[in-house]
Structure formats: C-alpha cells, structure tokens
Amino acid sequence: MASGSNSLMWFRKGLRIHDNPALECAARRAEFLYPVFVIDPHYMEPDPNEFSTGSKRAGLNRIRFLLESLVDLDSSLRKLGSRLLVLRGEPSEVLFRCLKEWSIKKLCFEFDTDPYYRSLDDKVKRYATGASVEIFSPVSHTLFDPADIIHKNGGRPPLTYQSFVKCAGEPSWASSPLATELTSLPPVGSLKNCPVVEVPSIEELGYEEAHEDERTPFKGGESEALTRLRESISNKEWVAKFEKPKGDPSAFLKPATTVLSPYLKFGCLSSRYFYQCIQEVQRDVGRHTSPPVSLLGQLLWRDFFYTVAFGTPNFGQMKDNKICKQIPWKNDDELLAAWRDAKTGFPWIDAIMMQLKKWGWIHHLARHCVACFLTRGDLFVHWEKGRDVFERLLIDSDWAINNANWLWLSCSSFFYQYNRIYSPISFGKKYDPNGNYIRHFLPILKDMPKEYIYEPWTAPQSVQVKAKCVVGKDYPKP
C-alpha cells in the first residue's frame, strides 16, 4: 500500500492492543488510521419480549461487559495518539459509508468463524474488493486456523480431541515472540459526514442500570484481562498442577478457575499470548499436568470446538446436523421455565441458575450439572432450549463453545455415556457439605439446617417452619 493512504481497523472481537495483527497491519505505513466499532442493533438494542433484560441476542451483563471493554480499548488507543470511533447501525451499511467517506485504501479486521460474521464479512469483502480496497483478515482469535486443520485432516474436522491435537501439532507462531506492545498509532483523519459517537453508557442504549447484586463482579476490558492473567500465572504451582475437571464449582468468593473465558471470548486477551505465558511457566516449573486436563489443554479444547463448529454444517442445531444424535426431546415450556428461573426445587441446581442469572458466569462443573439436569439427567428438555438460555445469560457465551458443550452434555455428540449423570443432590454436597453456596444464592434457604439444605422437602414440617422456608409455599417442591 502506498504510504500516505488511509486505513480502517474494524473491531468486533479482538478488543485489545497486544497481539493484534489486524491492528498492526492497519497502522503500517498509513497516514491516517480509523479504528471503528459498530454498535449493531441485532446485538445491542433492548428487546422487551425476552425473559431477562437485554437485547434479542444478549443479556444485560454481557452488554455491559462489552461496553466496559470498549471504554478500556478507547483509553488504550488514546494513549497511542488515536481513539475509538463508535458508529451505530447495520454493520455492513455503516462500513460501506465509512470506506467511501474516508477514502479508505486498506481494511483490516480479525477473521471470525461465527456464522453471523461469516456472512457479514463476505458481504463487506465483496464491496471492498469492488471499491479496490485492500483487505487483511488474519486468524488471531484462535491458536490455529480452523480451515488449515480441516485441510490437514482430509477436508473434514477431527471429531475427537485426541485426533485434533495430533493433527494440529504445535502452532507455527508458538516459538516466535508476539508483538505485545505498540508505541504509537497514526492519527485519526477527518471524520467528514460520518456520525461518530463516544462509547455509549447502558442508559444511552435504552437500559436501566441493574441493582449492584444483580451485576456480574467481572469487569470487561484488556487491562482487566492482563491483570487477571498476571495474577493467575504468578501462582506457578497452581498453573503447573491445574487439572480439569477438578476444581470446586461451589467456590464463588474466589472462583476455582482463572475466569479468563469472557476475556478470551471478546478477545480482550489473546489466546496465543496466554498460550505462550503458560508455556513459559511450565518451562520454569518442570513438572506439570498435560493436555487434555492442563491449562494449555483448555486452550486446545477451545480450538478443537472452534474447528468442529467451523467445519460442520448446521452445527448449532439438531436437525440436519450430521454429528448430532436425533433424540426425541420433550418441548416442555413449563419445565424449561422452572429450570431457567431457578425454581426446580433442587437447591443445588437452582443456586447455580441464580448465579448464572446474576453474575453471567458459573464454574464449568456447575455448567455440566445444570445442562445434564435439563437434558438427559432429569427433565429431558431439548438441549437447544438450554443452549439459548446460556447464550443469552453468559458473559463468556461463545457460539462454537456453547453449542459444543450442549451437544456434549446432552450426549448428542462427542460423548455418549448417557448413564453418567451428575446427581442434583450428592454432587454439590461433596464440595460444600454446609451448603454455603446455596445459602448465598438462594437466601430463602439460608436458615435451613445443613442436613436438609440439599433436600429441603425431606425436612420435618417443624424444621421448615423454623427455617422460614416451607416447601411448596416459600420454595418449590422438587
């Protein structure tokens, strides 16, 4: 590209400065750089018809997390002599206008595997190519390019973790240093007639701010992600001994995992940088756990699910999905609502669903418990219905991973030992015999004696009355 040209960096995920090849390319030899984020009504506009506050696609916790991430990104860009340009509208139409108004010669954005973005990106690429705009769309949200793995595997995605790891090998970039810092960026040029705004607040998007205890304790943004990463890897022994699926799903004051998933989801943290940091710790420590259970193994799981999702038509549904068992699930809206609204009468399940509703995050074993309970374990409700609830409420909801986990936990794909069930009573008790987690998220049960807290319906009537929690009146029958 001739120097002195204008380039546009289109942010969607990848909301970071470190290890951002699209941003580096956009800045290279550009006279003016336009860093753009488009507020997509499809994702952000309030929808009063949904079961929880939020848009058609996302609950309020995730929308807030995204806005915090954008504020942080804008702050980082300003330190480098730039700023984030926020526009509103259908993303492709907004981009077409910006490319034209600002005489853009180079358009850069991170490659995205989600079906929504794949069709959107094709539309934008066609327009940009027709307007002689150079396009750079690198794969940097995952460790590997899913298309490369599928090609290496004979045109089909590997369907087991082991075959994926064998096929993938070591990432090509793993031993070379990643660009983790930028010293400056080209300035933003004239905005002409494009209606650029600041990052909006929750209220400016049309929402009422939620009460403090209804909000997630996890704050969005790259700065937060890097702080959390540093804290996690500073405990080298913890990193070396990390072993999924171990961990305590009832730990909520200090969760028993890194809680880096929402930062990876929005690309506030580069999975490639995280990978290198873990490798460094493992080299220092010597002895450590290995994939699939190690922390490194978790990043490989993420890539495995991305690859299968990318290479499987209709991956997000049961119908016409070749790798999904066709199971005659029940369509029972009453059971679904009881599960979704934390009213199943099983305190362990209800406490998890209440944490999900309030925090937008739950431990992976807690996810396993409630997904198993809704599908093959107890209620036999269609996994797609549970997937939709998770997709809405989780701050780390990710199309590929969410669908893959529901396929797995309902025994529709990947895993078929359908008789291995998480007990809605004894599983939680194993970690938290006193029921502190239940008492916190279901305060109606806070005075229930510990011998009855997992099965309050077995408590004598006098005990229920004394605990101010009569089953069938104050708390549902199971």
Side-chain angles (χ1 to χ4, degrees):
M1 185 173 92
S3 61
S5 300
N6 299 347
S7 61
L8 189 150
M9 169 64 199
W10 179 22
F11 284 100
R12 298 99 63 90
K13 293 174 190 158
L15 303 177
R16 63 178 185 270
I17 304 297
H18 75 280
D19 182 35
N20 194 331
L23 179 60
E24 288 162 50
C25 178
R28 208 172 298 132
R29 295 199 303 278
E31 184 178 0
F32 296 112
L33 168 66
Y34 294 83
V36 164
F37 184 88
V38 183
I39 299 273
D40 184 346
H42 164 81
Y43 193 87
M44 306 284 265
E45 261 180 20
D47 186 343
N49 301 320
E50 287 294 338
F51 69 84
S52 73
T53 311
S55 69
K56 193 166 190 58
R57 311 288 307 164
L60 192 58
N61 271 324
R62 188 155 85 251
I63 292 171
R64 187 188 298 104
F65 191 94
L66 170 58
L67 294 179
E68 289 166 351
S69 302
L70 294 174
V71 167
D72 186 65
L73 178 63
D74 180 48
S75 162
S76 301
L77 288 167
R78 286 176 190 271
K79 287 172 191 159
L80 298 169
S82 182
R83 59 175 278 215
L84 187 63
L85 309 171
V86 178
L87 296 106
R88 288 183 179 208
E90 197 283 315
S92 61
E93 287 167 18
V94 171
L95 278 189
F96 300 164
R97 182 174 176 184
C98 293
L99 292 175
K100 203 166 157 190
E101 287 267 346
W102 299 335
S103 311
I104 299 297
K105 289 285 174 270
K106 180 163 64 171
L107 168 65
C108 300
F109 55 92
E110 184 178 68
F111 176 75
D112 198 316
T113 55
D114 284 17
Y116 175 72
Y117 281 104
R118 278 160 75 177
S119 62
L120 179 62
D121 293 356
D122 287 345
K123 201 169 156 188
V124 169
K125 282 176 183 170
R126 278 196 301 276
Y127 178 90
T129 306
S132 305
V133 174
E134 183 191 333
I135 301 161
F136 180 63
S137 182
V139 174
S140 52
H141 188 65
T142 47
L143 307 176
F144 300 92
D145 182 338
D148 286 352
I149 305 279
I150 291 166
H151 178 70
K152 274 167 82 176
N153 198 48
R156 293 185 314 277
L159 291 180
T160 67
Y161 179 82
Q162 281 71 21
S163 59
F164 168 80
V165 170
K166 196 174 162 190
C167 186
E170 186 75 4
S172 54
W173 46 264
S175 50
S176 11
L178 297 168
T180 52
E181 280 177 26
L182 291 174
T183 47
S184 69
L185 288 170
V188 174
S190 160
L191 300 176
K192 306 225 171 127
N193 295 316
C194 287
V196 169
V197 294
E198 297 291 316
V199 178
S201 66
I202 279 288
E203 291 85 355
E204 283 166 341
L205 284 178
Y207 298 100
E208 271 181 43
E209 188 48 281
H211 199 269
E212 194 67 50
D213 76 338
E214 298 285 328
R215 276 154 58 172
T216 183
F218 310 114
K219 192 172 184 291
E222 179 183 22
S223 309
E224 196 74 23
L226 293 173
T227 302
R228 195 167 270 282
L229 173 69
R230 278 191 290 272
E231 280 171 11
S232 295
I233 59 175
S234 65
N235 186 345
K236 292 185 178 185
E237 198 177 323
W238 182 83
V239 173
K241 286 182 176 170
F242 182 91
E243 203 174 327
K244 192 176 173 181
K246 291 180 181 170
D248 181 354
S250 70
F252 61 94
L253 293 172
K254 190 180 187 309
T257 69
T258 62
V259 195
L260 285 170
S261 54
Y263 303 94
L264 290 165
K265 178 258 180 327
F266 282 109
C268 302
L269 174 64
S270 152
S271 60
R272 310 192 308 173
Y273 179 56
F274 188 17
Y275 185 94
Q276 286 193 343
C277 290
I278 299 167
Q279 274 191 319
E280 212 172 289
V281 171
Q282 291 185 344
R283 275 196 298 270
D284 288 354
V285 183
R287 288 186 64 151
H288 54 79
T289 52
S290 304
V293 298
S294 63
L295 261 188
L296 218 51
Q298 300 319 297
L299 284 175
L300 292 168
W301 273 112
R302 178 177 181 265
D303 263 65
F304 165 50
F305 283 160
Y306 263 90
T307 304
V308 185
F310 179 70
T312 306
N314 304 310
F315 184 72
Q317 61 190 53
M318 179 171 86
K319 191 174 181 290
D320 301 327
N321 178 350
K322 274 187 182 155
I323 71 164
C324 179
K325 277 197 182 310
Q326 303 298 302
I327 296 170
W329 300 108
K330 283 194 296 208
N331 269 328
D332 189 320
D333 289 342
E334 224 169 289
L335 288 180
L336 175 71
W339 174 83
R340 183 192 69 202
D341 301 335
K343 290 180 178 162
T344 67
F346 287 91
W348 171 244
I349 298 296
D350 292 342
I352 294 170
M353 293 307 289
M354 192 52 79
Q355 184 186 16
L356 171 64
K357 195 175 166 187
K358 290 189 168 187
W359 286 23
W361 182 90
I362 44 179
H363 187 275
H364 54 266
L365 286 178
R367 299 179 195 211
H368 293 186
C369 287
V370 293
C372 175
F373 183 88
L374 180 73
T375 56
R376 64 193 166 88
D378 287 75
L379 305 184
F380 215 71
V381 170
H382 202 312
W383 64 266
E384 287 177 23
K385 303 272 193 186
R387 182 273 321 273
D388 291 345
V389 172
F390 270 32
E391 186 180 309
R392 174 168 194 79
L393 295 180
L394 283 169
I395 52 174
D396 61 11
S397 172
D398 180 300
W399 185 80
I401 296 167
N402 192 27
N403 277 298
N405 277 322
W406 277 93
L407 282 162
W408 186 298
L409 289 158
S410 63
C411 280
S412 295
S413 194
F414 304 116
F415 173 82
Y416 303 108
Q417 290 167 293
Y418 62 88
N419 56 341
R420 286 184 59 192
I421 304 284
Y422 291 88
S423 161
I425 297 160
S426 61
F427 188 79
K429 208 183 270 187
K430 186 168 73 175
Y431 296 94
D432 180 21
N434 192 42
N436 295 336
Y437 177 79
I438 292 169
R439 294 173 204 284
H440 181 83
F441 287 105
L442 297 176
I444 188 69
L445 287 162
K446 71 179 188 323
D447 297 324
M448 188 62 70
K450 75 173 191 177
E451 56 269 39
Y452 302 115
I453 190 143
Y454 284 87
E455 302 170 85
W457 62 90
T458 64
Q461 191 70 12
S462 59
V463 172
Q464 295 182 30
V465 170
K466 193 179 172 196
K468 296 186 282 297
C469 180
V470 175
V471 173
K473 178 171 152 263
D474 306 305
Y475 180 68
K477 286 180 176 170

